[in-house]
């Protein structure tokens, strides 16, 4: 057996936690409601965010736009308590099942996935679904 095959098997079949961060030092993280399974958001974690999430049980992320580490809910109060974390087969994406307090989306909605893609005239268009706001982002974030 070659070393590459052995290492490949270790990542996919072994029990060693070996997250593979991308060239920017990030992992994709999918957050779902632990009770309903609803996808609430997709974000990124760097090594520090992943370490803090594991240690604290609170969801931490890395903002690419702000180039900063942040704990979900630190400004809004809409926190995420991690119930379970799962790593994908090649350890380059993580799934967290969470208990969401309030809204997950910075737009004030429960989920970041509040628009449906529909075919339209040979292309696509978006329509709102489950788009009620739980809070006013201009008030919460003082925009």
């Amino acid at each position: 057996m070659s070393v590459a095959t052995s290492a490949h098997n270790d990542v996919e079949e072994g029990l060693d936690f070996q997250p593979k961060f991308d060239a920017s030092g990030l992992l994709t993280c999918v957050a779902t409601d632990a009770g309903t399974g609803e996808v609430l958001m997709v974000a990124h974690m760097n090594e520090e965010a992943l370490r803090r999430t594991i240690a604290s049980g609170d969801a931490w992320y890395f903002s690419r736009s702000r180039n900063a580490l942040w704990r979900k809910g630190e400004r809004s109060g809409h926190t995420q308590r991690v119930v379970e974390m799962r790593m994908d087969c090649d350890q380059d994406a993580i799934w967290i099942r969470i208990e969401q307090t309030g809204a997950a989306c910075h737009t004030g909605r429960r989920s970041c996935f509040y628009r449906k893609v529909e075919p339209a005239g040979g292309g696509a268009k978006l329509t709102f679904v489950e788009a009620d706001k739980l809070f006013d982002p201009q008030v919460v974030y003082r925009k």
Side-chain angles (χ1 to χ4, degrees):
M1 179 181 290
S2 73
V3 175
T5 303
S6 178
H8 181 73
N9 284 339
D10 287 346
V11 169
E12 291 184 354
E13 301 295 336
L15 297 178
D16 288 338
F17 186 58
Q18 303 174 48
K20 285 195 288 185
F21 297 91
D22 69 13
S24 299
L26 302 174
L27 281 175
T28 299
C29 178
V30 178
T32 63
D33 184 283
T36 67
E38 176 186 16
V39 177
L40 298 176
M41 59 183 277
V42 174
H44 295 90
M45 290 183 173
N46 64 3
E47 189 173 349
E48 180 71 7
L50 182 58
R51 186 186 64 72
R52 287 186 185 200
T53 299
I54 292 167
S56 70
D58 293 325
W60 284 79
Y61 300 105
F62 184 82
S63 170
R64 294 178 300 172
S65 62
R66 294 188 312 260
N67 195 34
L69 188 68
W70 58 283
R71 183 179 56 82
K72 181 66 175 167
E74 65 190 347
R75 289 183 62 197
S76 68
H78 298 260
T79 60
Q80 294 178 344
R81 185 79 186 143
V82 178
V83 173
E84 181 181 44
M85 297 179 78
R86 293 191 188 186
M87 183 63 80
D88 79 332
C89 58
D90 56 356
Q91 298 200 40
D92 65 357
I94 196 155
W95 168 29
I96 59 174
R97 296 178 58 240
I98 59 168
E99 292 173 345
Q100 175 70 50
T101 300
C105 186
H106 73 282
T107 67
R109 295 172 176 92
R110 172 155 172 75
S111 169
C112 294
F113 296 90
Y114 54 88
R115 293 174 292 184
K116 182 168 78 172
V117 179
E118 296 182 340
K125 68 175 184 172
L126 298 176
T127 58
F128 286 102
V129 293
E130 301 171 13
D132 294 340
K133 290 190 177 190
L134 301 180
F135 70 88
D136 181 346
Q138 291 185 359
V139 171
V140 170
Y141 300 116
R142 295 174 189 88
K143 291 183 179 179

